[in-house]
Amino acid sequence: MNILVLNSGSSSVKFQVVQTDQDLIAQDGDRCLAKGQVERIGSLALVSFQAAGRPPLKEDVPLRDYRAALDRIVRWVISPESGIEGVSSMADIHIVGHRVVHGGEKFRASVVIDDAVLEGIEDCIELAPLHNPANVRGIRAAAEVFGRGVPQVAVFDTSFHATMPETAYLYGIPYHLYRRYKIRRYGFHGTSHRYLAYRYRVINKIAKGDVNIITLHLGNGCSACAIKGGDSVNTSMGFTPLEGMVMGTRAGDVDVSVVEYLSHKEGMSLPDMITMLNKQSGLLGLSGLTSDMRELLEEEKENGDRRASLAIDVFCASARRYVGAYLAELGGADALVFSGGIGENSAAIRKRVCAGLEPLGVVLDEGRNAVLKKGQMGEISKNGNASRVKIFVIPTNEELLIARDSFRAVSGLPQPTFSPRKSRKP
Ligand code: ADP
């Protein structure tokens, strides 16, 4: 089956066409046939598409909305120009799978989208005003383009974390606020952390219940996850993706009193403050230069820029702090897994995050770390017993799990569901 996987953002949409079915899943042989993205939807959009083994297509074209962007994607996918094997008409797209950021407490598994599900996703907009509206637009656009004949599936960023015990998801605020408004940690990047747990299990040929690891997704957004027995038991992002580690433009953990203080000092409104914490902080805010880690590393190396260095150091310290916290949370882990654009590609950042963790059993092999090619999977810890906690780099693949979940949901096959674990008694 061919699944069109859509990841709809505020002014962009990323897609993949993934071929999967029960046999391919069993053999781990499902394939990405094509991928691409449309950025700057609403003005002169930037289109970049590529089918497997073919040259990329790049163009600037005015696309006024999501529907127009999706039309452009589908027209290319089914055209002879893309040359995608086995896809030459709309009928060759069998399912559309959507990444949906927030599923609240309601959606603990991926689901086929019907009117009630769409309403449920819309209800979550108040929990994720920056993300879910784009996901809803993507779902509505796909319904218009494909009609009711092509099932659509929602795969939630939050659902993998539904196994967190209350000791991990409750904030220390009056309990009635959780009961009344569901204010709690939800966690995001769940599909990425779930993929990393799955791939770690495959690499090491172990059962799901034996996966006791810490995963670090370091991209523009960053999060850590503590995984016990294959389930998420804690994660660094919270009620929204703002909490946790220092990220590209997000501040991560900040004392909320800063908000009140700044409103007095700078006369900033609440929405301005939230924008500042989400879009002007993190690596960008600290360095005053850029949110792009590659550029910061270059600035540091070429020009010895102090603020670039400082931003990188604060970033690495915040990631390291979560590794330490989750080693305590898990009572020790078998592995630390790096992923995301930064985690997959930057040996320098992996080295800086691991520095000082040796007494906790995390011992990087500098040679193995340095020679691992960009985007390659591999182990980078010292051999044998020298590192009690193994260190791996695993390129993430959220689209693969979205495609698999979509196939299973539509086929009525059992798929992972996530229920809260019992809290650990002291
Ligand atoms: P997103 O979270 O938007 O999916 P990515 O996972 O693609 O983002 O990560 C983007 C980040 O990865 C950027 O900060 C970029 O600079 C960084 N990155 C990509 N390649 C490298 C590299 N070779 N060295 C350092 N950082 C890199």
Side-chain angles (χ1 to χ4, degrees):
M1 277 201 171
N2 300 320
I3 323 289
L4 176 65
V5 176
L6 294 179
N7 180 355
S8 308
S10 56
S11 65
S12 69
V13 55
K14 292 187 188 157
F15 75 92
Q16 278 196 14
V17 181
V18 179
Q19 186 182 50
T20 189
D21 61 30
Q22 207 162 2
D23 290 341
L24 290 170
I25 294 174
Q27 296 154 17
D28 195 17
D30 14 24
R31 303 191 291 148
C32 168
L33 301 177
K35 61 178 166 185
Q37 58 183 13
V38 180
E39 293 166 283
R40 296 197 313 231
I41 297 170
S43 60
L44 189 63
L46 202 63
V47 166
S48 69
F49 297 159
Q50 183 155 28
R54 312 265 301 197
L57 165 79
K58 288 194 189 295
E59 65 180 20
D60 293 341
V61 52
L63 294 171
R64 68 178 184 286
D65 56 17
Y66 261 77
R67 168 71 202 266
L70 191 55
D71 272 333
R72 181 69 196 96
I73 291 171
V74 173
R75 240 185 322 116
W76 177 79
V77 165
I78 63 176
S79 70
E81 187 193 357
S82 72
I84 303 173
E85 190 189 314
V87 181
S88 56
S89 75
M90 296 276 279
D92 295 323
I93 304 285
H94 304 113
I95 305 171
V96 182
H98 295 267
R99 174 189 182 196
V100 178
V101 170
H102 216 310
E105 284 198 330
K106 186 174 175 153
F107 296 109
R108 297 180 183 280
S110 305
V111 280
V112 177
I113 300 169
D114 57 17
D115 292 344
V117 168
L118 187 56
E119 215 171 284
I121 297 171
E122 283 174 328
D123 288 346
C124 294
I125 285 179
E126 59 177 14
L127 294 172
L130 300 177
H131 299 94
N132 273 34
N135 302 148
V136 168
R137 274 199 296 277
I139 293 167
R140 291 197 185 284
E144 283 173 28
V145 171
F146 289 96
R148 291 222 165 225
V150 176
Q152 300 198 58
V153 176
V155 179
F156 301 91
D157 258 25
T158 42
S159 61
F160 180 58
H161 302 300
T163 47
M164 282 189 291
E166 359 173 52
T167 46
Y169 72 69
L170 284 178
Y171 290 121
I173 58 174
Y175 188 71
H176 72 268
L177 295 175
Y178 164 62
R179 283 235 286 258
R180 197 178 295 164
Y181 302 116
K182 299 283 178 236
I183 293 175
R184 49 162 287 178
R185 174 184 314 287
Y186 288 98
F188 300 88
H189 283 154
T191 315
S192 176
H193 292 296
R194 174 155 67 104
Y195 175 82
L196 299 175
Y198 159 77
R199 187 53 64 199
Y200 173 81
R201 173 159 72 84
V202 172
I203 299 169
N204 290 285
K205 302 187 177 63
I206 55 174
K208 175 182 173 248
D210 293 329
V211 177
N212 300 307
I213 62 174
I214 296 165
T215 47
L216 285 180
H217 178 110
L218 308 180
N220 283 316
C222 300
S223 67
C225 185
I227 298 175
K228 195 181 189 80
D231 291 333
S232 167
V233 292
N234 209 341
T235 192
S236 56
M237 285 176 165
F239 182 65
T240 75
L242 178 55
E243 195 185 349
M245 297 158 56
V246 171
M247 314 181 205
T249 62
R250 294 192 193 113
D253 302 323
V254 172
D255 182 340
V256 289
S257 308
V258 167
V259 170
E260 199 211 2
Y261 188 80
L262 271 184
S263 76
H264 290 312
K265 291 284 179 191
E266 298 260 317
M268 284 170 81
S269 70
L270 218 45
D272 285 350
M273 209 87 72
I274 295 297
T275 303
M276 185 267 285
L277 291 170
N278 269 300
K279 307 240 159 140
Q280 294 144 17
S281 300
L283 291 173
L284 172 66
L286 283 164
S287 70
L289 293 171
T290 172
S291 64
D292 191 296
M293 183 58 93
R294 223 171 345 190
E295 291 174 15
L296 286 177
L297 286 164
E298 254 166 51
E299 272 301 319
E300 184 184 46
K301 194 166 154 208
E302 302 300 322
N303 305 323
D305 189 285
R306 197 192 85 83
R307 291 260 303 274
S309 238
L310 186 65
I312 299 169
D313 284 341
V314 173
F315 177 94
C316 293
S318 112
R320 189 184 314 118
R321 198 169 301 126
Y322 272 98
V323 175
Y326 290 168
L327 281 171
E329 179 108 29
L330 294 168
D334 294 330
L336 169 65
V337 175
F338 282 93
S339 196
I342 299 172
E344 291 166 26
N345 297 312
S346 177
I349 297 297
R350 295 192 297 257
K351 182 175 161 189
R352 280 160 86 158
V353 170
C354 291
L357 288 174
E358 297 80 4
L360 300 181
V362 182
V363 186
L364 188 85
D365 183 310
E366 288 197 24
R368 286 171 123 182
N369 182 43
V371 298
L372 196 73
K373 292 203 176 58
K374 289 192 173 91
Q376 200 186 4
M377 180 153 58
E379 190 182 336
I380 56 169
S381 42
K382 282 247 189 263
N383 257 335
N385 294 328
S387 185
R388 214 166 49 247
V389 181
K390 304 291 171 217
I391 313 171
F392 286 88
V393 177
I394 302 181
T396 196
N397 194 345
E398 293 158 273
E399 292 80 6
L400 182 78
L401 287 199
I402 295 175
R404 287 182 177 183
D405 276 19
S406 300
F407 165 73
R408 291 196 198 101
V410 169
S411 312
L413 292 165
Q415 57 169 330
T417 50
F418 305 100
S419 302
R421 283 177 159 235
K422 292 252 176 316
S423 298
R424 204 169 49 164
K425 290 275 175 286

